[in-house]
């Protein structure tokens, strides 16, 4: 009987020890998850107050120099990582909706407007495609 009692005590001690290890592993896992998920993503929202021509962005393009181009409901602009810069546009359609930005081998940015005309930016100036 004493032998059975010792075996019961050892079984209970073993179960408690095993249960304690499980709790420790769970606590460590929860702590690790909280540590990893504690990193917040940085998110910045830009709008017309930041220099964006319009709040509706239809498309974007990263050019070969790393600039981001945005075509909006009020024109096209370039983002250099710090600020938005709009190219000089003296056309009658300045500030009109722009679509479908693309870059050619010469580094010019091409885009379309609502009237189905094609335009390109060369030396920070918007120019009409001669065959419009």
């Amino acid at each position: 009987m004493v032998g059975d009692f010792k075996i019961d005590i050892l079984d209970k001690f073993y179960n408690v020890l095993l249960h304690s290890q499980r709790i420790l592993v769970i606590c460590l896992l929860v702590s690790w998850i909280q540590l990893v998920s504690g990193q917040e993503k940085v998110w910045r929202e830009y709008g017309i107050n930041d220099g964006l021509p319009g709040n509706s962005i239809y498309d974007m393009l990263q050019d070969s120099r790393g600039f981001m181009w945005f075509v909006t409901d009020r024109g096209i602009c370039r983002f250099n990582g710090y600020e938005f810069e709009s190219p000089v546009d003296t056309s009658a359609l300045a500030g009109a909706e722009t679509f479908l930005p693309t870059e050619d081998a010469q580094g010019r940015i091409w885009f379309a407007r609502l009237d189905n005309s094609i335009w390109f930016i060369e030396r920070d100036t918007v120019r009409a495609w001669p065959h419009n």
Side-chain angles (χ1 to χ4, degrees):
M1 292 245 192
V2 175
D4 290 336
F5 180 72
K6 285 182 179 179
I7 291 175
D8 268 350
I9 296 269
L10 287 175
D11 278 346
K12 287 181 182 180
F13 178 74
Y14 178 74
N15 287 335
V16 167
L17 185 61
L18 189 61
H19 184 69
S20 297
Q21 287 177 340
R22 286 182 185 158
I23 290 176
L24 179 63
V25 168
I26 290 171
C27 288
L28 289 174
L29 184 61
V30 167
S31 297
W32 181 77
I33 289 172
Q34 287 177 343
L35 180 68
V36 170
S37 66
Q39 299 174 356
E40 293 184 29
K41 294 181 182 178
V42 177
W43 183 263
R44 172 95 158 74
E45 187 173 324
Y46 293 99
I48 56 175
N49 293 334
D50 301 299
L52 197 60
N55 283 328
S56 296
I57 297 173
Y58 299 134
D59 205 350
M60 60 186 133
L61 165 78
Q62 184 173 11
D63 69 14
S64 58
R65 297 178 295 166
F67 292 117
M68 293 296 299
W69 290 87
F70 297 92
V71 290
T72 73
D73 59 334
R74 299 202 169 236
I76 187 168
C77 68
R78 178 179 67 200
F79 186 65
N80 63 14
Y82 300 100
E83 61 186 351
F84 292 94
E85 300 167 343
S86 293
V88 176
D89 189 352
T90 58
S91 70
L93 295 173
E97 291 181 297
T98 54
F99 303 94
L100 306 170
T102 190
E103 182 180 17
D104 67 11
Q106 298 167 335
R108 297 179 297 189
I109 305 299
W110 292 78
F111 61 94
R113 287 198 164 135
L114 270 181
D115 65 349
N116 291 327
S117 59
I118 299 175
W119 300 77
F120 64 94
I121 300 171
E122 187 174 47
R123 292 188 296 276
D124 288 330
T125 302
V126 174
R127 302 180 191 281
W129 186 46
H131 305 288
N132 278 338

